[in-house]
Amino acid sequence: FGVDEGYIIENGEIKQSIRGASLVGNGLKVLESIDMVGNDLGYGVGTCGKKGQGIPISGAQPTVRIPKLMVAGTVKANW
């Protein structure tokens, strides 16, 4: 999973925003660890495909809280 918009939260306070990170681990375990779900359903559009063939897609998800994750990649903070 990639992070389009994320925040580091410490002691209940937003400390910094992050982007460009990848979440590493077992997807099912991450989904099982969600402990809060917002009421702010948001939609996104994109393209799915391979070898130059793409089809438009869309998806929706509310804000979720995942208490603990492993993050990999280069994180760009404070955007």
Side-chain angles (χ1 to χ4, degrees), residues 39-79:
N39 62 358
D40 59 344
L41 184 63
Y43 293 87
V45 295
T47 305
C48 184
K50 63 180 180 179
K51 296 184 180 180
Q53 300 174 351
I55 186 166
I57 61 164
S58 63
Q61 176 182 320
T63 299
V64 295
R65 187 179 100 110
I66 303 168
K68 189 174 181 180
L69 288 172
M70 184 177 296
V71 179
T74 303
V75 177
K76 298 173 183 158
N78 298 321
W79 45 299

Side-chain angles (χ1 to χ4, degrees), residues 24-39:
V24 180
N26 181 310
L28 184 56
K29 294 285 186 194
V30 170
L31 292 173
E32 289 173 345
S33 73
I34 293 172
D35 66 352
M36 297 177 92
V37 178
N39 62 358

